[in-house]
Amino acid sequence: MYVLVMGVLFCAALYPLSFREYDKQVKVYAASLPDYSGIKPPVPYAAGRPVKLEVPSVGVNLPIIDGAYDKSTNTWTLSNDKVQFDTASKRPNSREGNTFIYGHATNWVFGPLLKIQPDALAYVTTDNGFVIAYKLTGHEVVNPTDTSVLDYSGPSRLMLQTCTGPTLSEFRQMFYFSYMSHEKVKQQT
């Protein structure tokens, strides 16, 4: 019994000393680590089905409906008062791919885009409450048969298309917007 009591007392005396040494080692190790305080966490992923497009600088504020290319008639579905989201393209998101939205070049649809200025902003609202912001980075005119613009892979971008030319039907005017940011907005109940 004497040996057991002495063993317990001995351990009780050394136990705090061993924790002090352990604490010293932890502090030395922690001091050797890089400073991670300035690193921001990754941006949460945002994606959804597009329901509204706004380009405030030219007064575009339109509902978005699904659209598609009909290979049998070589035509796109079109609306006289809305813009279409090509369902074969990527949904608006914060990571990658090409979101393709198109519409008529009329004054009440995409006609105002023909007056857009560099660095203009566009906002796409999704069905699940995200507003994704894009910035105009370029534009070009292509032939209606040029589908190479659809073969994009890379960071998230928005591509808007309307018609252009002397009779507003000979060519396609493409507008390219790069992803900037997104926010989750409260959904109306």
Side-chain angles (χ1 to χ4, degrees):
M1 182 72 160
Y2 174 75
V3 172
L4 180 64
V5 171
M6 291 306 286
V8 169
L9 290 174
F10 181 72
C11 287
L14 288 180
Y15 191 71
L17 294 175
S18 65
F19 268 113
R20 276 190 234 137
E21 184 58 34
Y22 177 76
D23 284 346
K24 286 180 190 175
Q25 290 175 357
V26 167
K27 287 178 184 175
V28 168
Y29 173 73
S32 71
L33 294 174
D35 179 14
Y36 294 111
S37 63
I39 297 176
K40 294 181 181 178
V43 175
Y45 183 63
R49 188 176 63 78
V51 294
K52 183 170 90 170
L53 172 70
E54 294 177 77
V55 185
S57 64
V58 292
V60 170
N61 187 349
L62 294 164
I64 300 171
I65 59 174
D66 289 347
Y69 184 73
D70 183 346
K71 290 182 181 180
S72 65
T73 62
N74 292 327
T75 59
W76 290 90
T77 54
L78 282 166
S79 167
N80 289 326
D81 60 351
K82 297 171 187 69
V83 292
Q84 272 81 20
F85 162 64
D86 176 15
T87 56
S89 71
K90 284 279 194 184
R91 287 183 170 199
N93 70 84
S94 58
R95 291 198 183 141
E96 48 89 27
N98 189 38
T99 301
F100 179 38
I101 297 175
Y102 61 94
H104 274 305
T106 59
N107 287 337
W108 49 91
V109 183
F110 269 178
L113 286 179
L114 300 174
K115 297 176 184 164
I116 201 165
Q117 297 297 309
D119 299 329
L121 300 178
Y123 303 93
V124 175
T125 302
T126 64
D127 62 340
N128 56 353
F130 286 105
V131 175
I132 302 175
Y134 299 89
K135 181 178 175 180
L136 181 66
T137 55
H139 60 90
E140 68 178 323
V141 175
V142 299
N143 284 315
T145 57
D146 183 358
T147 59
S148 66
V149 294
L150 301 173
D151 299 332
Y152 172 83
S153 65
S156 177
R157 84 168 182 183
L158 171 66
M159 182 173 70
L160 303 181
Q161 174 190 290
T162 195
C163 296
T164 192
T167 64
L168 293 179
S169 64
E170 293 85 4
F171 302 103
R172 302 298 176 258
Q173 177 73 55
M174 313 303 294
F175 300 93
Y176 305 108
F177 294 78
S178 294
Y179 168 81
M180 288 183 50
S181 64
H182 68 273
E183 67 177 321
K184 183 82 169 179
V185 293
K186 287 186 178 180
Q187 293 188 322
Q188 296 177 353
T189 56

